[in-house]
Structure formats: structure tokens, C-alpha cells
Amino acid sequence: EADLEHQWVTTTRSERRRNLPPKTRTTKEIMETLKYGGFNNHAVPLVQPVFFEEKELSIHPYVFGLWLGDGTAREPSITMHKEDWEDIEPRFIELGIKYHLVPRQEKENTVLIWIEEMSPKLKQLGVKNNKHIPVQYLRSSIDQRWELLRGMMDSDGTIEKGTSTVVLTFSDEGLAKNATEVIRSLGIKVNAKAHKSMLNGEEKKQHWDMSFVSKELPFKLSRKANAWRPATIDRSKYRYIKEIVP
């Protein structure tokens, strides 16, 4: 809550177009110029990525992100399409991760990657049968959080066709809230919404979509990275003031 004389630092539509710096305005001034030509006039610049020191993480953040998305909650395995694995496997080799592949006769176009060394680590992190992002990952360095996000995006991320918008989807609300925190901590504006999918006219399980744009590549997987394009407009740098309730 704030009174009419509370001061805010905002930019107007005209200032953004002319690349002018933000100015300090009162709540009353913002209310009087809330809209400009039908558009939201005032915006607050987003914060820069939150800095934390690099952490010693028992599971590499990229691999942990993959497991959060496509891993089995009760075991140290990740399932993905064979072609995606062919793309990602060199990354595992580069990181020195020991694994073996488990044949899947029922789904020949997929592969199950078993990472035995990850089993006790999942238990120590408290994520076995309880997928979430532990605090040491939430408070890891900027580079480590980007690796974590790319792992999640390579597994459960998509690109909205014809746009710069990417979407991360999880069916677990707690995990979705954790992922939203990671994205925002990287200085990115994210729109998180709950949805219920429909199948043959019937509502199915609820899921959460986190959509955002960024200027930094959010994927490592080639087929997604090649389809992605960076944000070229400034809307991703601001939060817009839509209304002020007296």
C-alpha cells in the first residue's frame, strides 16, 4: 500500500520510445497519466540478476534440471527421445557423468538414462519422490542457475510458434513456484499461470505454464536452440503498471 505522495521510479511510453532514463513520480502523477493512447503508460524497470556466490552442488545443475523435468521421481533415471539423447550425450561425457542406458522395448524411440551415482545424492537433497528445487540451487550463482534453467527447458520447455516466447510447463505446483523463482532471480519477467488441459471434452490434471522471453539462450538442446530467437523488444525489461486501486 502507498499514499498519493509516495514516490516511484517509472518510465513512460514516450520516454521508452526516446530511450530516456526513468524519472521519479508520485502515485498521484502515475494515476493521472496511467494510460497513453490506450496502452499502459508507466513501467518499472526489472531488477538485474540476483548475485549469489557459486555453490558446491552435488548434482550438476544442468543434469538436475533435466531430472526435474524428465526424470523419474523415485529413481536416478531420465527418459528422453533417442535423437535428443544423441545431442545431449556429449554433454554428459564432458561433465564426466557415469551412466548406462536401459532398453525400452515398449517405446523404441525413447531411451532411459540410468545415473547410479545420482541415487544417494537425490536422497541427500530430499528430492527423491519429492521433486523440488533445494535452496542451495535457488541460491547458486547466476551461471549455475542458468544451467539449471536450461536443463528444465531442454526437458519440459517449448517455444511459442512465430514468437520469442518460451514456456516451461510442470504439473507440480511447488516445482512450478520454484522454477518461477529461478527465472525471476535471473532478472527475467515471467508470466506464471495454472491451466487444466482438456481431452475429449473432459478436464484433466492441472498444470502450470511459465512463459517468458530473454536475450540469453535458454536451451542447450539443438532442435530447440535452433528454433529459438532472442527478445528484440524492450517489453521483457519492464513490469507495466496496469491499474492503481485507491
Side-chain angles (χ1 to χ4, degrees):
E1 295 183 4
D3 61 30
L4 292 177
E5 298 307 313
H6 185 88
Q7 295 186 328
W8 310 83
V9 177
T10 74
T11 66
T12 63
R13 186 175 175 83
S14 174
E15 289 164 351
R16 291 190 296 277
R17 283 183 169 180
R18 292 182 289 162
N19 203 28
L20 296 175
K23 292 183 180 178
T24 301
R25 298 174 169 90
T26 64
T27 305
K28 185 174 183 293
E29 289 173 320
I30 296 173
M31 287 180 68
E32 292 171 346
T33 57
L34 190 62
K35 301 292 182 179
Y36 180 91
F39 295 95
N40 295 321
N41 188 26
H42 292 271
V44 179
L46 286 175
V47 297
Q48 294 298 308
V50 181
F51 175 82
F52 295 111
E53 296 287 348
E54 184 173 316
K55 301 294 190 298
E56 288 189 15
L57 303 174
S58 58
I59 302 173
H60 189 278
Y62 176 73
V63 178
F64 186 54
L66 285 176
W67 180 82
L68 288 171
D70 284 340
T72 304
R74 67 179 182 274
E75 62 187 32
S77 66
I78 301 169
T79 303
M80 66 181 68
H81 196 280
K82 280 186 177 180
E83 292 183 0
D84 287 347
W85 170 241
E86 290 173 1
D87 187 8
I88 289 174
E89 185 178 22
R91 175 73 169 154
F92 273 52
I93 295 172
E94 176 188 337
L95 294 172
I97 296 169
K98 297 178 181 178
Y99 61 88
H100 69 268
L101 305 183
V102 179
R104 306 192 76 219
Q105 295 181 351
E106 73 279 12
K107 293 183 179 180
E108 295 182 356
N109 63 333
T110 65
V111 60
L112 187 148
I113 305 101
W114 188 275
I115 311 169
E116 183 61 40
E117 65 185 43
M118 203 164 70
S119 184
K121 297 173 183 177
L122 293 174
K123 191 173 182 179
Q124 290 164 4
L125 288 170
V127 297
K128 192 173 182 180
N129 288 318
N130 178 29
K131 282 190 178 183
H132 66 279
I133 302 177
V135 66
Q136 56 265 53
Y137 285 82
L138 293 172
R139 303 291 181 266
S140 60
S141 71
I142 292 172
D143 287 343
Q144 287 175 317
R145 276 176 281 142
W146 266 110
E147 285 289 285
L148 174 64
L149 179 58
R150 291 185 181 110
M152 294 188 288
M153 292 299 294
D154 278 356
S155 56
D156 280 346
T158 56
I159 304 170
E160 287 190 358
K161 189 174 181 180
T163 74
S164 300
T165 302
V166 297
V167 184
L168 176 61
T169 301
F170 283 136
S171 59
D172 182 273
E173 183 178 11
L175 183 53
K177 287 180 177 179
N178 287 165
T180 299
E181 181 178 341
V182 170
I183 297 167
R184 285 179 175 155
S185 76
L186 291 169
I188 299 171
K189 182 172 71 173
V190 57
N191 183 23
K193 289 184 178 180
H195 296 279
K196 279 193 175 179
S197 56
M198 301 289 290
L199 180 63
N200 299 325
E202 293 184 11
E203 282 190 351
K204 296 299 180 182
K205 189 175 181 181
Q206 187 164 257
H207 63 273
W208 285 261
D209 289 340
M210 294 142 279
S211 57
F212 62 94
V213 297
S214 70
K215 290 191 174 181
E216 188 157 346
L217 180 63
F219 303 105
K220 284 188 177 293
L221 193 62
S222 296
R223 66 177 175 84
K224 294 183 180 182
N226 293 337
W228 174 82
R229 62 191 193 203
T232 56
I233 53 177
D234 68 358
R235 284 183 301 187
S236 63
K237 299 192 300 184
Y238 301 98
R239 290 190 182 277
Y240 291 81
I241 301 175
K242 296 181 179 180
E243 63 176 337
I244 297 176
V245 179

